Amino acid sequence: MENDSNNSSNDEFTKVDFKDGTQNCKNFFSSFFSNPIKTLKNISDSKHNLFFNTAIIMLLVWVLIMFFHALFGNVYSNNGLYIFLSAVRDLTIPIISVGFLALIIYCMAPNKDEKCSLTNTITSSIVCKIPIIFASFISLINLVSDKAYYITNPITYFCIVISIVLTYFAIKFLYKESEDFKSFKKFMVVEGIFYGVYLILSFLGIYMV
């Protein structure tokens, strides 16, 4: 009887947890696609890690997309070591991209305790990469068509621009900076460091976006 009771409780917890998670995802996407700027503002002001779990799911989706790129992008190669190293490189792109961006933003924050929490910084960094996640998904078409890049390349470049714009607002809100010029200067510093790291890592065959 006790085991049946425990199993019943676990099932109820799983149902509630899954339902809450699904609802959080719906709330996030509804908020993001209706007003991404306001979503970033709400995340930066949150004291309860708003949308953090959903953001982690988005990061895992990005890793999964890169897995398909790695799996099918080298399907004609006979070099097992090359395939393995390419797969490792591709799978680390999302984590490295988000990790370095969040770390730079957090380390450059004027007052980490009162203004900029690490969790909100990570969440905001992932949200800023959503256009790039979308572009990565669309670029899967390249795996089945040699001419698809005529469509996917412009979409990718456009999504990168949107991601950079979102990063500006994320920094502005996380730093609680009201003056646009100061926000822009801090944004330029963060982006400068990010692409400096990008340049160094690219020499090692490691890439960020």
Side-chain angles (χ1 to χ4, degrees):
M1 291 293 294
E2 184 178 352
N3 288 336
D4 291 341
S5 177
N6 289 336
N7 290 335
S8 177
S9 298
N10 289 334
D11 290 342
E12 287 296 321
F13 176 79
T14 302
K15 290 178 182 178
V16 172
D17 190 54
F18 179 77
K19 184 177 181 180
D20 289 344
T22 303
Q23 188 60 46
N24 286 337
C25 286
K26 289 180 180 178
N27 292 340
F28 168 76
F29 286 110
S30 175
S31 173
F32 179 79
F33 287 112
S34 62
N35 193 335
I37 308 302
K38 185 178 180 181
T39 301
L40 287 170
K41 180 71 166 64
N42 292 338
I43 291 171
S44 67
D45 292 338
S46 174
K47 303 295 184 183
H48 305 289
N49 302 331
L50 181 66
F51 297 138
F52 177 73
N53 291 338
T54 303
I56 295 299
I57 292 173
M58 291 302 302
L59 180 61
L60 293 176
V61 168
W62 191 8
V63 171
L64 182 62
I65 293 171
M66 297 308 295
F67 171 75
F68 282 107
H69 277 285
L71 183 63
F72 297 107
N74 300 306
V75 69
Y76 298 110
S77 176
N78 294 321
N79 189 330
L81 179 61
Y82 173 79
I83 294 174
F84 174 76
L85 293 177
S86 296
V88 171
R89 180 198 63 194
D90 290 348
L91 291 175
T92 57
I93 287 175
I95 298 170
I96 292 176
S97 299
V98 169
F100 271 106
L101 179 61
L103 183 63
I104 294 167
I105 293 174
Y106 184 72
C107 290
M108 295 294 295
N111 193 326
K112 300 175 184 61
D113 295 330
E114 297 179 6
K115 294 184 178 181
C116 184
S117 79
L118 181 58
T119 304
N120 289 348
T121 302
I122 294 172
T123 304
S124 296
S125 298
I126 297 173
V127 170
C128 290
K129 298 297 183 181
I130 286 179
I132 295 178
I133 298 173
F134 173 75
S136 298
F137 176 74
I138 293 297
S139 66
L140 287 172
I141 302 173
N142 293 338
L143 298 176
V144 295
S145 173
D146 294 336
K147 304 296 183 181
Y149 68 89
Y150 286 114
I151 299 173
T152 59
N153 281 3
I155 293 174
T156 298
Y157 296 143
F158 180 62
C159 288
I160 290 173
V161 171
I162 295 175
S163 176
I164 292 173
V165 172
L166 291 177
T167 302
Y168 164 77
F169 285 102
I171 291 170
K172 177 181 174 69
F173 296 143
L174 287 167
Y175 289 177
K176 306 295 187 293
E177 184 57 68
S178 58
E179 296 185 29
D180 291 336
F181 181 65
K182 289 184 178 180
S183 298
F184 182 72
K185 285 199 300 182
K186 292 173 181 176
F187 163 75
M188 291 298 292
V189 171
V190 169
E191 286 293 294
I193 296 173
F194 180 83
Y195 283 102
V197 174
Y198 171 92
L199 181 63
I200 294 171
L201 291 180
S202 65
F203 285 111
L204 303 174
I206 302 172
Y207 300 96
M208 301 190 299
V209 289

